[in-house]
Amino acid sequence: MRELATVLQAELDVVRELLTVCRQEQDALVADNITAIREAAGRKGELARRLAVLEEERQQVMAGQPGTQEIEKLRDLLRQAVRELQEANETNRLLARQSLAYVQKMLALLMPTVPAPVVMDRLV
């Protein structure tokens, strides 16, 4: 089993990578790049699974190790990275909702709810 500092550093690295992917997703949402949005979503899923494994390992390791100054520093860095990740996720959520509202408005303009009158051809 790894030391707590090593596990925390690995968690911090994954959270920072996740934050990078979330920021890429923001750019894709702003640019309406569906391919990039899908890629970011897939990458976020992979990173979330890695983070879950590391979190389980961290909880197992924490049971047997006392806190040190290095570990406290890593915990603080991890907390800060998680806060930034939460902010990026919230921004992405708002961007996605804004994009959806825009698409719905465009569809309403292109496809009015009132049916167009039927035009009969004289030949019928």
Side-chain angles (χ1 to χ4, degrees):
M1 204 175 328
R2 296 191 282 181
E3 289 186 11
L4 182 57
T6 305
V7 175
L8 286 173
Q9 183 62 54
E11 278 189 304
L12 179 59
D13 293 343
V14 171
V15 169
R16 285 179 174 163
E17 192 173 347
L18 196 53
L19 180 58
T20 298
V21 172
C22 282
R23 288 182 176 148
Q24 291 168 352
E25 182 182 42
Q26 280 179 9
D27 294 340
L29 284 165
V30 169
D32 291 327
N33 185 338
I34 299 299
T35 303
I37 292 169
R38 285 183 182 148
E39 289 172 2
R43 187 72 181 126
K44 282 171 44 179
E46 293 170 18
L47 291 168
R49 285 186 289 279
R50 279 181 43 200
L51 191 58
V53 169
L54 286 168
E55 178 60 18
E56 189 175 307
E57 184 178 352
R58 181 189 68 81
Q59 289 179 6
Q60 290 173 358
V61 171
M62 278 185 65
Q65 289 190 357
T68 67
Q69 190 173 17
E70 178 186 359
I71 290 171
E72 291 301 319
K73 182 179 177 182
L74 284 170
R75 284 181 184 167
D76 291 342
L77 289 171
L78 185 57
R79 283 186 187 110
Q80 176 62 31
V82 168
R83 277 192 296 274
E84 290 177 27
L85 180 60
Q86 288 170 334
E87 290 171 8
N89 275 332
E90 179 63 16
T91 300
N92 290 355
R93 185 184 69 76
L94 293 173
L95 286 170
R97 291 185 83 190
Q98 181 180 11
S99 293
L100 179 60
Y102 176 76
V103 167
Q104 288 173 336
K105 187 169 191 158
M106 294 306 293
L107 284 174
L109 291 173
L110 295 172
M111 303 169 82
T113 57
V114 178
V118 176
V119 177
M120 299 277 302
D121 192 329
R122 287 184 187 216
L123 299 175
V124 176

